[in-house]
Amino acid sequence: MSNHYIEVKNLKKYFQTPGGNLHAVDGVNFTIDKGKTIGIVGESGCGKSTTGRLMTMLLEPTEGEIFFDGKDITKLTPKEMVEYRKKIQIIFQDPFSSLNPRKTVFHSIAEPLEIHKVYATKAEKENRVYELMELVGLSDRFVNSYPHELDGGRRQRIGIARALALSPEFIVCDEPVSALDVSIQAQILNLLKKLQLQFGYTYMFITHDLSVVKHFSEEIMVMYLGQMVEKAPVKELFANPRHPYTQALLSAIPVPNLKKKKERILLQGEITSPINPRQECRFAARCSFATEQCRKEVPDITDLGGGHSVRCLRIHEI
Amino acid sequence: SQGTASQGNASNGNAAGPKSDISVVLTKIGNNLDPAEANSLDTSTIMYHVYDTFIKFDNDFNIIPGVAKEWSQPDNTTIEFTIGEGYKFHNGDPMTIEDVVFSVERLAKVPKKAAFMSMIKSVEASGNKVTVKLTEPNSGAIRNFGDVFIVSKKYLQEAGEKYANAPIGTGPYTVTEYVPGSKVVLKAWADYPFDKTKIETITFKAIEEASAKYIAVETGDADFAGIGARDKSRAQNNEKLAYFEGPSTFTGFVAMNTTKEPFDNVNIRRAMAYAYNNEGISAITPGKTIIDSMVPKMFSTYHSSPNLPKYDLQKAKELLEKEGFHAGNPLRFTAWTYQGNDPELEAFQAELKTISVEMDIQNLEFGVFLEKMANKEYQLLVGGWSDTTGNTLSSLESYWSGSFGQMNITFYTNPKVEELYAKVKAATSEAEMKEAAKEIQDIAAQDVPMIPTATKMSYYAMNKNLENVQIHTSGLVSFRNASIK
Amino acid sequence: MGRYILKRLAQMIPIVIGVSIIVFLLLSLSPGDPAKMILGLNAKEQELQMMREQLGLNDPIPVQYFNYMKKVAVGDFGTSYSTKQSVIEMIGVRLPPTLILAFGSLFTILIVAIPLGIALAVKQNSPFDNIMRVVSLFFAAMPGFWSGILMIILFSVHLGWLPANGFDTPSAMIMPIICSSIAGWAVNSRITRASMLDVIRQDYIRTARAKGLKESIVIRKHALKNALLPTITSVGMAVGGCFGGSVIMEMLFGINGMGKMMIDALRQKDIPTIMAGVIITSVIIAVANLLTDLAYSFVDPRIRSMYARRKQRKEVAGHGAN
Amino acid sequence: MQKKLLEIKDLTIKFHTDDGVVEAVNKVSLTVHEGETLGIVGETGAGKTTTALGIMGLVDCPPGRIEGGKIMLDDRDILQLDEDEFRKLRGKEISMIFQDPMTALNPVFTVVDQIAEVIANHQQLGEKEAEQKAIEMLELVRIPAERAYEYPHQFSGGMKQRVVIAIALACNPRLLIADEPTTALDVTIQAQVLELMKDLKTRSKTSMILITHDLGVVSEICDQVAIMYAGEIVESGSLEDIFENPLHPYTNGLFGSIPDIDKEVEFLSPIEGLVPDPSDLPKGCKFHPRCKYAQHLCSVEEPVFQEYSPGHYAKCFVYEGKLPAKEVKKYE
Amino acid sequence: MAQIDLTLAPTGKKKSKKRSLWADAWLRLRKNKSAVAGMIMLATILIVIYSSPLYLDYDNDVIKPDLTQTLQFPAKGKLLGTDELGRDVLARILWGGRISIGIGVLAMMLSSIIGCTLGAISGYYGGKTDGIIMRSLDVFMAIPSLLLMITLVSIMKPTITNLIIALAIGSVPSVSRMVRAQVLYIKGQEFVEAIRAQGASDFRIIVMHILPNAISPLISQFVMEIAGLILAISGLSFIGLGVQPPDPEWGAMLSSGREHIRDVWHVTAFPGIALVLTVVALTLVGDGLRDALDPRMKR
Ligand SMILES: Nc1ncnc2c1ncn2[C@@H]1O[C@H](COP(=O)(O)OP(=O)(O)OP(=O)(O)O)[C@@H](O)[C@H]1O
Ligand SMILES: Nc1ncnc2c1ncn2[C@@H]1O[C@H](COP(=O)(O)OP(=O)(O)OP(=O)(O)O)[C@@H](O)[C@H]1O
Ligand SMILES: [Mg+2]
Ligand SMILES: [Mg+2]
């Protein structure tokens, strides 16, 4: 038992598929301190969202423990779970599909208040809804609007207001801006940041956009095919990426800056199937440094100190 | 009435024209070709081409020779038949006297013939004579032999259950194809020992819809069909078709269960009879003529009783009021039918409504209908039957306790009627029979367990070139002598 | 694929058992005494009792069912109560017309509705489209027996082109088939039209156009195959309907088919016939569903590869290794 | 300066929908020279795809209609061509890569079929030869020949996009329009595809229009850039012009919205407000409701698209001299 | 950090009511010419038919035979002629519509209640529950529905209630399947997960969130299913198992008049036309609803 606010130990989620066990999340460990943000990046399908869902207990983990404020939430009874739900919230990637198309803005935001019967009177509830709308910068003339009548930015604000309704402590942001326009994206990122400063939220920020995550978080975990491949404080990771995948990822970001053009590391080949993966380094198929050994054993995590750890066999050679 | 729809000269026996094929539409084709099981006119029509019967009837129900060339009743419990010579079965076996006796005796095992068999004590043969001993005097018994088809003992015993689908007889036609419920193809039997038939194949097929039957003839798909009254004028005016109409033995009725409320009360039954607008209702279906007795008009024993209530709503109302039924306490009951939409019953229903009688109509599956009827479960039902043997007795059976659930579906019983019925049965002379039958009809008209409603004309349309088709009053049709011009 | 078909065929067994249980139960609950139906109203109670014993009707319903199914399992569907014929023989005679009627109308639906639907989609909102929409609505709304009667009057009586009755010659089959498929033409051409319009909006159609292909090729080659799935579904689902609906066509046109047999059997409480009829019909419907699914996989490779899933996975794994 | 390949003048495309008229493309003028890559940048609904479809002659009609302007390919106005002539241009002279590789391929045909089709369509080749050539194209986009007979669903997103590229390039078009070719792809896969496109471009000297909302991608491969906002080009110029010296407040705002990977800021400086409703565009300058520097003039009068320095155009009153220049600041 | 300590005074005022999804659909529906035509047709039919008790007397106009006036051709006073019992065909069509449409609507409602429940449970919970429900429905699907209805009706007596039940049972499997498919699709959308993340119970999720979304695209199908059911009743009437006399019902009228269609066509033709018009109207409205509720039509 440590004194971290959130501690995840050996988290695993396998999905049963017709083709076999799909290792969506395969033994992930990390910790988050109160009021801090961890960024999770990685290729599509590497298990980011699954990790997020596990954190909010929308999925039952196959294995592993999630300690929240010292309590293992994977072992809660359904009753306790309802209480826990108030403290942990999630904001989804696609603000349109994450809102009930047949509920007005008001009802979408009021929904959690109604579920938990937080307010005794209607008036209190209404006040709270208007308060939340104000907070996320939604004009109150939208109370009776439907999601399809609003644009992406406003929709995402509803999603945020809803997540804030029960005064949570920990919010999983599952790609909250990737469906938005660049100009709106910045508005939302600013809002989230402001809220964190104001209320001290702890965030888990999932994205595939490294520049966003760099802007947003203190620590970054890079995932590949369900496993953590590298984890480090933001500056350390960008300054000193050690895993070949992280290196490729960083170099692949197109930078809107003419002066700072850098050499690309191009990955060859396709992502391997996460179904019944073999006993090997999962990145080996695309790694230009891979050796025979990489194709035979699963690399362990090497702690490089300073919160920097890497999963690579040849970490000391490259 | 002359029952032969003959056009031009009847052809001379031997001057056979070209052999030809015809197709005949019937309403239903039975599921079984065993003549003992045959219980519809349509099946019997087919059977008469394949088999021969003891005796036959002319259009006035006088007995004429069949396999039996002569018959006599030496006393009132004995019938003697003299069987003709030269009959052969389709498998080539000659018809023997044992076959004839067997044909009667086997009916003992057929539940549907139980009533008939209960009249017979023994059947014996000697030479070409068959002697039937009756259990009791029965004036009508001999007529039942018009329904007894001669089968081959040997073949039937060999065939067992299969017989129902591949029968053989002594008639001029053999069954070459049989699809139960749909189609029977008969072929002229080459070795038929008597006058050769002129029609080579007769295909009987089933069409239920009256209009479709006519269309089949009209379009030339079929050469002969009994048609609905609505197509009568069309058939008459169609130059390509010959048309024929004649009376039938069909007897329609409203039956009331005398063992069940409210019809165990004779006044209510009479009220129903008064309320039945026979004139009006019969007019709904063209070709219907009202009747006033359960005995068909062409039978010698027919009697029109003055006791039978005639349509008079006022009287009906009075009777009902007498029994305590009025607008404040309407009489309610359920009527059963199995015919789908029955406009006549609907008309009756509406008529009753005007004198505050609430009659529900329920349409039942035929099987359910029959069962409920036999179980005395019903209150009132409508139906009708036809007679093929001209047997007064079976018409009168509707009032006889010996026939509960069979002909007597109202379970009506009256000691006087029982007595009279016995008299008719034992009658040795026509006059005696007529007298007793008249009395029964008078009593029945008074007690009205059944309201006789209407009979209907039969209409036929056929290919103009088809000649010498014999259409019997009973509805049986014979192509034995028919030919194509 | 073969394994898949076998698996699907195996899945039919519980369905058939379910169907037989339900129908058996319904029949046992329904009024009417088969013994009486067989022996007639004149039968004596003693004879009825003997007949019931002989038919096993005195056993508890589950035992009756079990005994019945035991026979069915070895292919013995029994003898009809009313015709005394072997039920299999009866069905052998009646199934072909019903199958011809059902599949004939399915076939005509396909060959009429698909081209029509395509034409309507291509000419969307044209007068042709609008008129056909109204016309097809009328056809879809007409009860089968009504259009049947009208057709008989027109084609048999007035024009004398087609026989009004029977089902033994090709010309006699025309009207019943058209009659039972006419609503299907209407419905399925609408479905094809809708799915065609849907497909035409897809990106890959734009890709095809961007290749500079002729519009007719874009429609015939690229759009059609994709647009077929909903029509196939609907036509596949119609198989059951065809069997049920054919009762009316059989009665109207005097066809000696399964539908009429079943109705007659129901009237006579001819349990062996009803049971066998229902079981065989349900098997045919299940097979038709299977065929529908196979037709899917013929049209759509994505579905095809789902059937061959295991093999596919191995290949993917193989790719991952090199 | 090279020869002009494509010149668009005052192209106007409107959609007549139930909810009113959408002015998707409003008096857009663009020029693409031979061998050059033009990037069109803009947010959702800016009219980028519609412009491209206009060039392809594939605007959905109805509800879309080209209501004005010229599209000159060499010296021909292709809007004047009849459908059959236009059809012959498509896939051969101009081809297009669509936004979403997942849906751009027909799921029921093998990939090689889909490539061979365009080859057979434009070149007098037999089936076998077209197929042979298609396989070559596949190899060119680095898809092994043995996978040619597979169906699109068996391919990953990146591979599908490469197939789409192969289709577009199969007949060596002179102009390639790539509509957000990498948006649906992962970063590492995106890098592969971009690299491939750059490579092909240098090899075949094809002119290209690259549509994107990602300024990073633009900086990677474009020579010229046009910024679109609400159906209009608000700024255009060379890559350097736009990146080093953005003029229009919207362009500036775009740069401010992107977190810079090399900079640390607490808060980003986004463009406030939202994209306007396309069927109900504001009067005057379409950007004025969101513009920090908007004056009264901006809401009544529409600015003119003006050349500020050679080849660098912008649509803002500041550059017409109607508003004081100092107000518009460069992004930090 | 229990409560957000924002002291901003909530404005409290609400903007005037915005149009709802349904209002939106209504607007789109109004723009759809054929749907409007259908609605006008349907409204006319329903108003005329359902107000018939106001101007028709059941006992005297609808069921009372006049045996002197049978099978009269259309003429003044009896605009659509009389039937074989001399009853006014027009009066019977009007009254019969109450029954035909009433049965169709009630049967549809019953089957959609059952179908929605089964479909929702099956789709939402999946797994074994789904397996059991779907396999049982497969069984019902495998029995031709007309046959099933005939059997049911003959077991239960052909009263109107039983007809409704039999028709409903016949259409439950297909309704359940449609609902299930929708539920499966909606269940996969993120908003359901979002609501679960807030701690909502399954019941609340299904009833408040999934079903409203699942049903609206199906409403048009439900409307058209009514048409199918009315046709099914007429099929049952054809075999004599439909509505029992003297109540008029279109299918029964249609099939009882078929014997004389060549002489007195009006007895069959007019109920047939009434039926066809209603079905057409229902279909047009259903089509219109489908388009109006189609999410792709939304901006
Ligand atoms: N319910 C599920 N059943 C089966 N497989 C699933 C399920 N949810 C996710 N997966 C699989 O688990 C793997 C990880 O999925 P996940 O959604 O967590 O990825 P991700 O990193 O969020 O990807 P993206 O960037 O595309 O959102 C994928 O291969 C996905 O197909
Ligand atoms: N078929 C159509 N019918 C009606 N409006 C349309 C249609 N196609 C596009 N529009 C409208 O035209 C405008 C421009 O759309 P367009 O697709 O060109 O934008 P875009 O810049 O490509 O956006 P994105 O980045 O989302 O692809 C939008 O407002 C869009 O709603
Ligand atoms: Mg995800
Ligand atoms: Mg676009």
Side-chain angles (χ1 to χ4, degrees), chain D residues 32-181:
Chain D
V32 183
H33 294 97
E34 272 181 354
E36 192 182 77
T37 300
L38 169 71
I40 302 182
V41 182
E43 286 176 87
T44 297
K48 309 180 295 290
T49 303
T50 309
T51 309
L53 290 176
I55 302 170
M56 291 295 289
L58 287 177
V59 178
D60 284 343
C61 172
R65 212 183 297 157
I66 298 184
E67 308 219 322
K70 283 185 201 162
I71 301 176
M72 310 292 294
L73 186 69
D74 299 325
D75 294 320
R76 286 192 294 175
D77 182 357
I78 58 176
L79 290 181
Q80 304 303 323
L81 297 180
D82 68 28
E83 175 51 30
D84 214 42
E85 289 171 313
F86 210 142
R87 191 172 59 71
K88 284 178 187 147
L89 285 183
R90 264 181 239 143
K92 189 165 184 225
E93 304 263 310
I94 321 170
S95 52
M96 182 157 172
I97 301 170
F98 290 104
Q99 206 156 347
D100 189 353
M102 305 298 160
T103 58
L105 290 174
N106 195 329
V108 301
F109 296 109
T110 58
V111 292
V112 68
D113 270 356
Q114 301 193 46
I115 305 171
E117 191 178 25
V118 65
I119 298 171
N121 188 43
H122 290 292
Q123 302 171 4
Q124 269 57 53
L125 285 179
E127 223 173 274
K128 276 263 136 29
E129 293 158 321
E131 209 172 285
Q132 200 45 53
K133 196 132 188 265
I135 291 176
E136 282 166 26
M137 285 310 298
L138 274 179
E139 282 177 329
L140 190 68
V141 295
R142 296 178 203 139
I143 291 175
E146 65 259 27
R147 303 204 58 182
Y149 295 93
E150 289 181 12
Y151 288 92
H153 72 275
Q154 291 162 303
F155 280 27
S156 70
M159 290 165 82
K160 276 188 224 174
Q161 189 62 300
R162 279 182 266 157
V163 174
V164 174
I165 292 171
I167 292 175
L169 294 178
C171 293
N172 287 319
R174 297 169 60 206
L175 177 66
L176 175 67
I177 306 172
D179 186 2
E180 315 210 16

Side-chain angles (χ1 to χ4, degrees), chain A residues 52-53 55-58 68 81-92 108 111-113 115-116 158-174 201-204, chain E residues 193-200:
Chain A
R53 291 195 168 104
M55 296 301 293
T56 46
M57 287 304 286
L58 287 170
F68 179 80
M81 200 56 227
V82 172
E83 281 309 299
Y84 180 75
R85 288 245 183 267
K86 291 194 201 172
K87 297 189 190 160
I88 293 195
Q89 281 297 325
I90 178 163
I91 301 169
F92 291 96
S108 284
E111 181 74 19
L113 304 176
I115 293 170
H116 294 278
I158 305 173
I160 295 170
R162 175 174 62 181
L164 300 184
L166 296 168
S167 312
E169 297 170 25
F170 173 54
I171 302 178
V172 174
C173 307
D174 189 357
Y201 294 141
T202 308
Y203 285 144
M204 176 163 148
Chain E
E193 201 160 31
I195 286 153
R196 191 147 19 122
Q198 285 146 11

Side-chain angles (χ1 to χ4, degrees), chain A residues 49 93 174-175:
Chain A
S49 297
Q93 164 173 12
D174 189 357
E175 315 208 24

Side-chain angles (χ1 to χ4, degrees), chain B residues 32-236:
Chain B
N32 194 321
L33 284 186
D34 183 343
E37 300 269 353
N39 58 351
S40 79
L41 268 176
D42 283 342
T43 318
S44 300
T45 290
I46 300 168
M47 295 298 146
Y48 276 109
H49 295 87
V50 180
Y51 295 93
D52 289 302
T53 50
F54 272 76
I55 49 168
K56 298 179 188 173
F57 306 98
D58 69 10
N59 265 324
D60 296 318
F61 287 100
N62 298 312
I63 301 172
I64 54 173
V67 172
K69 299 303 170 194
E70 280 164 36
W71 53 94
S72 62
Q73 291 182 275
D75 57 63
N76 62 6
T77 53
T78 313
I79 309 170
E80 268 182 26
F81 294 103
T82 310
I83 305 300
E85 304 263 311
Y87 288 94
K88 276 199 296 179
F89 287 107
H90 298 152
N91 60 0
D93 294 351
M95 182 189 85
T96 66
I97 199 80
E98 281 88 62
D99 290 319
V100 179
V101 172
F102 174 78
S103 299
V104 182
E105 284 176 338
R106 72 177 283 248
L107 298 180
K109 292 203 199 78
V110 179
K112 282 177 181 160
K113 297 285 175 179
F116 170 59
M117 288 312 289
S118 66
M119 303 172 190
I120 293 170
K121 196 155 79 188
S122 67
V123 186
E124 272 148 34
S126 71
N128 63 347
K129 280 206 162 48
V130 174
T131 309
V132 179
K133 289 271 179 205
L134 302 177
T135 46
E136 52 180 354
N138 190 328
S139 55
I142 187 171
R143 291 185 169 270
N144 286 309
F145 287 85
D147 268 348
V148 178
F149 298 84
I150 311 299
V151 299
S152 160
K153 180 177 181 180
K154 185 170 139 242
Y155 178 77
L156 193 131
Q157 281 170 344
E158 281 166 6
E161 282 250 303
K162 292 222 171 63
Y163 187 75
N165 300 305
I168 64 168
T170 55
Y173 287 94
T174 58
V175 178
T176 53
E177 191 188 341
Y178 171 47
V179 185
S182 164
K183 187 163 122 181
V184 177
V185 180
L186 302 185
K187 205 163 171 57
W189 176 34
D191 298 338
Y192 186 55
F194 306 105
D195 283 354
K196 294 277 184 307
T197 55
K198 300 184 187 74
I199 303 289
E200 180 65 22
T201 41
I202 311 175
T203 306
F204 292 99
K205 53 186 182 187
I207 298 180
E208 278 182 57
E209 296 256 324
S211 55
K213 283 192 218 171
Y214 175 67
I215 288 172
V217 182
E218 188 183 27
T219 57
D221 278 353
D223 299 290
F224 182 95
I227 59 172
R230 307 217 183 257
D231 292 311
K232 169 181 168 175
S233 60
R234 229 185 310 263
Q236 276 175 320

